[in-house]
Amino acid sequence: MIKKRIDLEIKKGIRLIIVKPVWDYPVTRGALIFHTGAYKDPEGKKGLSSIFFDLLNERRDIIDKMENLGARIKASSSLTKSFVSFAFLNAKLKKSFDLLIEFIKQFDVDEALLNIVKRKKNSSLALLNEDPEYLIARKLYEIIYPQSELSNPVAGLKEDIENIVFDDIERFYKEEFLNAFLDIVVVSSEHWKRIKAFVEKITEFFSPSRIKMPTSPEAYIPQNIIIKKKHLGNVFVSYVVPACEEGTSEYLPLKLLSYILAEGSFNSRLVKRIREELGLAYYISSNTSRGFSVHDKKFRGYFEIIAETGKENRERLIHEIEHSIKEVFNFGITDEELQTAKSYYIGVERKRGETYKDILNTLMTERLYNLEKNYFMNIKDEINKVEKESIMASLDRMKEKHFSRIQLVEEEIE
Amino acid sequence: MKIDSIPFGKITLSNGFTIYYIERPVPDVVYMYIFYRAGSGYEKEGVRGISHFLEHLMFKGTRNYPKNYLETLLSKYGGDSNAYTSWDSTVFYAQFPSCVAQKVFMYERDRMERLSFEDFDKELAVVLDEKQLSEKTNPTGLFSERLFYTTFLLHPYRYPVIGTEKDLLNMTEEKVYDYYNAFYSPENAFMVLSGNVGPDVIDSAVKVFQEVKKRGTFHRVPSCDIEPAQNETRSFVMKRKGFGTNVVSVVFKTVPFYHKDTPYLDVLSSMLGASKNSYLYEKLVIKEGLFTSINSEVYETQACTLHSIGGVVAKDKNPKRAVERLMKYIENPVGLFTKNRFKRTIFNVYADLVYSRESIRSQGEMLGEFVLLAKDSEFNDFPLKLLSVEFDKLKEVYNRYFKVDYATYGILTE
């Protein structure tokens, strides 16, 4: 899907990737990736980075100019990285890039705007705290990343939001936003030199400095936890174990194993047995997280199996999942299962890059997880190379660590 | 502002089935949408929910294929498939490489005329479970259902797509078989293919689907003229324990999608509440702090489109007071009709069109929606109509439809 790719280092380590797709379309899409996020939120002010990036989206003068240009600029934050992503009409490219500079440079927010964003945050946290998957994910991060800032909640904590004052925001802008190392990726049919000239103007405002690393998580201790929640209806069960990071030799075998276990819908063992044959779950799947990277350091990911069922099926569901895990630990996988999983992921790669947005997302993933250049262009070959032995080794590593179990149940259940 | 037409092809078979296609050879992905004119809007008393239930049965095998055949097949190629039912249609969609197109078409042909009706009772229990679960765990979904139930008194849009418990409990194989025979007839359906759909793929589709025999005596969604005139504001309050926030929504019944006023209504809806620069956001979020967000949604339908305007009420504010202020601003829209706001909105409508048409998948889906709700030529004509909306006529159209005295509003609260 890519006709030309240019990788540049602009200044002080700021990296720029410009890609021209094989077909022309009159838009330019891109993203500034900031090496900062919720892992840097101070104690008592969890949610600071999220509120800062939300604030950038609320400035009325900027919104007004965006709408007049048909431009889309959006700031967002995550755990170890944050973003300003953009989509511009090529017919308005120069003015749109000027607006992007203004978006970054004109930090004209005030107390009143901060209060609006805090009100919104309170509403969204109220809704999030009703979301079963969010509640499980919060606990999962505490188990996988104990005593590390990697377990910080990206959305923040309700009790901390009120503590965030205007000075915190100003400090974040000066000390974090303008100093975080940057990766910049742009997808456009315009000439790369033109794009580079626009981007260089943006980078004038940044002074990347040393990156603060999160504390490495302490040793993993398997846990068996029950979370209770009112008005839940169903039961949610999650099995989780620490795993590797994407880009390491262990990652693809684990991803294939995940497909075989529960990620591969009707081709996977747990879906066939637990959902289809026994009717014990409304939903069952598994996933392999990519882990995290902060600059050139990587932090572990995790492997999770998650299921949802009615209250009456909880015990049987738990029994069946544990039985299925034991079975795969003891007897491994078949050649046919491995081949099906490989075909699936190779097929998924086929459609990568259907739009400029897809290409941008691929490049962002490459940078977000500090993967090798063109990682996704070579991934089909890497998937093909995976052998049964490396999957068995993944199984052995999980077996040694033991799964943690998190159950989310309605409050009256003992 | 210029928006390029997207060329598409069309073949109508002798049995009435129409195949639309939009070709783009790379990447090698075919996106397929099969639209059946069968949804809750076609349902009568005694069979409410039959379209959605039939959608479930469509995954349970045919006379020639076992259940979950398509999902299992496509998964091996990194493809996938799914379906949804709405007021106006039941849509089956899939994406796959062109090399399996013929197998997919053959399976879809079988689904169209040789459904096995396997697992009838088991699937009915699943749908009843889904309904009960959604009532318990999805308060916003239930709120929307209540809103439509209050807005319509006679039209089938009054009832939820999933159906009524009474009718589901009385569902019989005979009723479903009759409905299937009537509404899944080829002349009551059409297919849109987009992506790598060269002559081989199109030929294959023609050969496979021309073998299906006509068999239906279906009817159309009734006009909204069957509704009695609404001469008063209707309202309700829905209370849900544990719902952490307050939501309000006001609904206006307008015209069928194909009506000449539709482009005007779409622009007005955006001016009122589609962005952080919209009229109601300025008044109710920024100025009065009564809401934390405003949304403006358009439910485009064959019989009469609904325009819903609402939002999330700020934590410490009274929802009744919030809805009163919202209605007040809609009734007296001082400052809504400015040329600047109009120009900005039109330009953003244009930008949205450019961004959304980038994806070949979206192009296919949009073409299908236009065929369903209006006619195929609107796929390229409607964007031009949107861009041709005249400022001077806006107020007149607004006064015709956005009358609070004839609106319906709901409050969802703890």
Side-chain angles (χ1 to χ4, degrees):
Chain A
M1 299 303 105
I2 292 174
K3 193 172 184 177
K4 187 174 186 132
R5 169 177 171 148
I6 308 281
D7 287 67
L8 301 162
E9 189 170 311
I10 303 182
K11 67 164 194 178
K12 293 187 189 174
I14 295 179
R15 289 168 294 198
L16 168 65
I17 304 172
I18 304 170
V19 157
K20 187 181 170 75
V22 289
W23 75 96
D24 287 351
Y25 196 74
V27 304
T28 292
R29 289 187 183 269
L32 316 182
I33 305 171
F34 297 81
H35 293 237
T36 187
Y39 85 97
K40 288 191 181 174
D41 286 351
E43 231 14 79
K45 301 202 175 195
K46 304 290 183 210
L48 173 61
S49 55
S50 167
I51 284 197
F52 172 82
F53 282 94
D54 285 351
L55 257 176
L56 295 181
N57 295 323
E58 290 292 332
R59 295 166 298 168
R60 308 201 46 73
D61 52 334
I62 299 275
I63 295 169
D64 198 59
K65 288 173 186 167
M66 271 202 291
E67 292 193 352
N68 279 308
L69 289 168
R72 306 285 181 261
I73 306 177
K74 189 169 186 248
S76 56
S77 64
S78 70
L79 187 59
T80 62
K81 305 281 196 296
S82 299
F83 317 91
V84 172
S85 49
F86 56 88
F88 298 151
L89 301 173
N90 285 355
K92 305 269 181 187
L93 203 56
K94 185 182 176 307
K95 283 187 178 170
S96 298
F97 269 108
D98 287 344
L99 181 62
L100 182 60
I101 291 174
E102 208 177 321
F103 189 92
I104 290 154
K105 194 182 152 195
Q106 303 289 336
F107 189 64
D108 47 358
V109 300
D110 57 20
E111 200 83 44
L113 203 58
L114 174 61
N115 286 334
I116 288 173
V117 171
K118 280 163 75 168
R119 272 205 301 269
K120 285 186 175 204
K121 178 61 81 185
N122 278 325
S123 289
S124 64
L125 279 171
L127 288 172
L128 265 182
N129 285 320
E130 291 298 313
D131 178 357
E133 285 182 15
Y134 179 75
L135 296 174
I136 286 189
R138 287 286 311 116
K139 193 52 75 181
L140 183 155
Y141 272 69
E142 286 170 21
I143 294 172
I144 301 294
Y145 305 106
Q147 304 303 317
S148 165
E149 296 88 354
L150 293 173
S151 66
N152 283 358
V154 175
L157 292 174
K158 196 179 156 195
E159 56 272 29
D160 285 5
I161 299 301
E162 276 319 302
N163 301 334
I164 296 169
V165 294
F166 193 69
D167 284 351
D168 297 319
I169 299 294
E170 277 203 308
R171 201 176 309 119
F172 191 97
Y173 177 69
K174 287 177 191 155
E175 294 173 12
E176 278 298 324
F177 184 70
L178 296 179
N179 290 335
F181 265 101
L182 280 186
D183 283 312
I184 304 174
V185 287
V186 183
V187 181
S188 178
S189 56
E190 293 286 312
H191 196 282
W192 69 270
K193 284 188 178 166
R194 186 165 184 238
I195 300 293
K196 180 176 172 262
F198 288 137
V199 172
E200 276 174 336
K201 276 195 205 164
I202 298 167
T203 56
E204 282 170 19
F205 305 100
F206 296 104
S207 307
S209 58
R210 202 171 62 82
I211 286 173
K212 183 192 160 211
M213 287 290 162
T215 315
S216 288
E218 289 191 355
Y220 163 75
I221 301 167
Q223 294 178 51
N224 188 352
I225 290 170
I226 296 182
I227 314 168
K228 291 180 182 177
K229 186 188 171 303
K230 283 181 184 165
H231 317 294
L232 184 66
N234 280 342
V235 170
F236 296 79
V237 184
S238 161
Y239 285 84
V240 64
V241 68
C244 55
E245 312 87 46
E246 177 146 30
T248 59
S249 59
E250 295 167 36
Y251 184 78
L252 289 177
L254 191 61
K255 202 166 167 58
L256 291 165
L257 177 63
S258 174
Y259 181 93
I260 293 165
L261 272 176
E263 205 173 343
S265 189
F266 299 112
N267 287 317
S268 67
R269 288 188 181 195
L270 272 68
V271 174
K272 271 194 278 195
R273 167 102 186 126
I274 294 175
R275 208 189 97 167
E276 293 300 298
E277 281 173 37
L278 301 173
L280 279 179
Y282 297 117
Y283 165 80
I284 183 159
S285 190
S286 58
N287 67 86
T288 314
S289 95
R290 295 182 147 122
F292 295 101
S293 85
V294 178
H295 203 44
D296 52 1
K297 189 170 176 188
K298 291 190 176 196
F299 296 88
R300 70 188 176 210
Y302 56 84
F303 175 76
E304 183 193 22
I305 298 168
I306 185 161
E308 179 184 358
T309 191
K311 288 175 198 175
E312 66 286 2
N313 289 328
R314 180 167 68 131
E315 293 302 328
R316 278 186 70 204
L317 174 74
I318 286 171
H319 171 80
E320 282 299 331
I321 293 179
E322 293 181 1
H323 175 75
S324 298
I325 293 172
K326 270 184 203 152
E327 206 171 59
V328 76
F329 278 163
N330 292 336
F331 302 109
I333 57 158
T334 66
D335 290 334
E336 193 191 342
E337 283 175 324
L338 176 58
Q339 202 44 53
T340 305
K342 282 184 178 181
S343 304
Y344 173 76
Y345 283 117
I346 289 168
V348 166
E349 290 305 317
R350 169 181 44 79
K351 64 183 182 213
R352 195 181 280 282
E354 195 253 293
T355 58
Y356 281 27
K357 198 175 181 179
D358 283 348
I359 296 173
L360 176 67
N361 287 341
T362 300
L363 293 170
M364 284 175 73
T365 308
E366 187 188 296
R367 292 314 314 144
L368 287 180
Y369 298 97
N370 201 18
L371 303 169
E372 279 175 20
K373 184 180 168 183
N374 291 331
Y375 174 81
F376 290 103
M377 287 180 79
N378 305 321
I379 200 166
K380 283 185 195 170
D381 295 339
E382 296 303 316
I383 292 168
N384 259 329
K385 281 183 208 160
V386 174
E387 289 174 355
K388 216 164 147 183
E389 289 68 33
S390 48
I391 294 194
M392 296 310 288
S394 289
L395 277 168
D396 285 343
R397 275 187 294 273
M398 279 202 281
K399 205 172 176 179
E400 283 164 17
K401 288 175 196 158
H402 301 287
F403 277 92
S404 287
R405 187 174 74 198
I406 307 165
Q407 294 179 66
L408 180 63
V409 300
E410 196 156 288
E411 192 154 298
E412 68 265 20
I413 294 174
E414 286 307 315
Chain B
M1 283 175 288
K2 185 174 152 274
I3 190 105
D4 292 333
S5 284
I6 296 172
F8 63 87
K10 172 184 173 182
I11 299 169
T12 300
L13 309 180
S14 55
N15 58 13
F17 187 68
T18 305
I19 300 164
Y20 293 91
Y21 54 95
I22 306 172
E23 188 182 359
R24 190 167 83 188
V26 286
D28 178 19
V29 188
V30 176
Y31 296 94
M32 180 193 78
Y33 288 86
I34 299 183
F35 284 75
Y36 290 92
R37 294 181 194 275
S40 62
Y42 303 79
E43 293 168 1
K44 295 180 177 170
E45 194 62 36
V47 292
R48 308 264 183 227
I50 198 166
S51 311
H52 173 257
F53 177 51
L54 185 54
E55 178 216 310
H56 271 245
L57 288 180
M58 292 285 277
F59 289 86
K60 297 297 161 190
T62 69
R63 276 178 233 160
N64 296 318
Y65 295 93
K67 63 180 172 184
N68 304 324
Y69 167 81
L70 188 61
E71 296 67 40
T72 310
L73 170 78
L74 296 185
S75 184
K76 289 177 185 164
Y77 293 89
D80 52 54
S81 73
N82 213 330
Y84 61 84
T85 307
S86 68
W87 283 343
D88 289 333
S89 62
T90 303
V91 183
F92 296 85
Y93 57 95
Q95 60 88 8
F96 44 84
S98 53
C99 64
V100 284
Q102 193 183 14
K103 282 185 181 167
V104 176
F105 298 152
M106 286 173 71
Y107 172 73
E108 289 296 352
R109 179 189 68 188
D110 234 50
R111 280 218 279 207
M112 196 180 279
E113 61 180 358
R114 291 178 205 135
L115 197 64
S116 68
F117 291 85
E118 217 174 280
D119 290 346
F120 187 93
D121 292 336
K122 196 173 157 191
E123 211 47 38
L124 193 55
V126 168
V127 171
L128 280 160
D129 260 5
E130 188 184 325
K131 183 170 169 64
Q132 280 160 5
L133 189 70
S134 151
E135 281 168 8
K136 188 156 188 187
T137 61
N138 182 8
T140 50
L142 202 61
F143 177 63
S144 295
E145 284 183 10
R146 181 86 186 270
L147 203 53
F148 303 140
Y149 189 82
T150 314
T151 301
F152 295 105
L153 299 182
L154 296 176
H155 198 277
Y157 289 165
R158 182 171 211 223
Y159 299 95
V161 171
I162 198 166
T164 59
E165 194 169 347
K166 179 175 81 97
D167 287 1
L168 285 171
L169 285 170
N170 289 315
M171 202 61 76
T172 62
E173 220 170 302
E174 194 186 354
K175 283 182 192 172
V176 182
Y177 184 76
D178 288 347
Y179 188 82
Y180 170 70
N181 257 338
F183 285 84
Y184 276 59
S185 191
E187 74 274 35
N188 198 38
F190 62 90
M191 176 164 82
V192 184
L193 299 169
S194 63
N196 188 18
V197 289
D200 290 355
V201 173
I202 305 300
D203 284 354
S204 159
V206 169
K207 277 180 193 145
V208 170
F209 286 98
Q210 71 188 4
E211 290 173 24
V212 186
K213 290 189 175 55
K214 278 188 189 182
R215 63 192 195 281
T217 46
F218 46 85
H219 57 262
R220 297 289 179 218
V221 172
S223 148
C224 270
D225 293 345
I226 65 167
E227 276 291 305
Q230 184 169 343
N231 297 318
E232 75 294 313
T233 309
R234 296 180 197 151
S235 66
F236 68 92
V237 177
M238 190 175 125
K239 294 196 174 186
R240 284 302 290 247
K241 275 187 182 171
F243 187 67
T245 188
N246 298 312
V247 170
V248 304
S249 202
V250 184
V251 169
F252 299 89
K253 281 198 292 269
T254 62
V255 289
F257 178 75
Y258 54 78
H259 194 277
K260 66 177 175 44
D261 287 342
T262 294
Y264 280 84
L265 287 163
D266 282 2
V267 170
L268 284 165
S269 204
S270 294
M271 287 168 73
L272 275 173
S275 83
K276 287 176 184 167
N277 217 3
S278 63
Y279 176 71
L280 291 171
Y281 192 93
E282 274 172 15
K283 301 294 181 194
L284 294 164
V285 178
I286 307 289
K287 191 178 156 200
E288 299 203 12
L290 277 171
F291 285 78
T292 59
S293 69
I294 291 290
N295 57 58
S296 165
E297 287 175 67
V298 185
Y299 298 89
E300 283 159 342
T301 70
Q302 297 181 73
C304 67
T305 291
L306 294 185
H307 289 261
S308 154
I309 298 159
V312 176
V313 180
K315 200 113 189 82
D316 51 343
K317 306 293 179 186
N318 181 323
K320 185 87 173 90
R321 159 95 180 137
V323 82
E324 278 168 13
R325 295 300 294 161
L326 172 67
M327 303 270 272
K328 200 78 202 159
Y329 281 115
I330 295 173
E331 191 174 19
N332 296 306
V334 180
L336 170 65
F337 299 103
T338 66
K339 281 206 167 163
N340 184 25
R341 187 188 307 282
F342 170 70
K343 205 180 116 194
R344 233 170 36 212
T345 305
I346 287 285
F347 198 71
N348 272 282
V349 166
Y350 165 74
D352 280 341
L353 282 166
V354 175
Y355 294 130
S356 62
R357 286 176 161 222
E358 188 195 336
S359 156
I360 191 77
R361 184 195 61 75
S362 304
Q363 288 178 16
E365 190 179 11
M366 279 192 273
L367 173 57
E369 289 292 335
F370 278 108
V371 174
L372 177 77
L373 298 177
K375 52 186 177 181
D376 54 24
S377 56
E378 287 293 296
F379 175 56
N380 282 316
D381 291 349
F382 189 75
L384 302 175
K385 288 180 186 171
L386 271 174
L387 300 178
S388 308
V389 166
E390 291 172 39
F391 178 73
D392 294 340
K393 291 184 187 164
L394 273 178
K395 210 168 182 174
E396 184 198 324
V397 176
Y398 183 89
N399 289 336
R400 202 177 305 145
Y401 300 104
F402 289 94
K403 294 177 181 171
V404 294
D405 290 347
Y406 310 140
T408 303
Y409 74 83
I411 298 173
L412 171 59
T413 184
E414 193 153 32

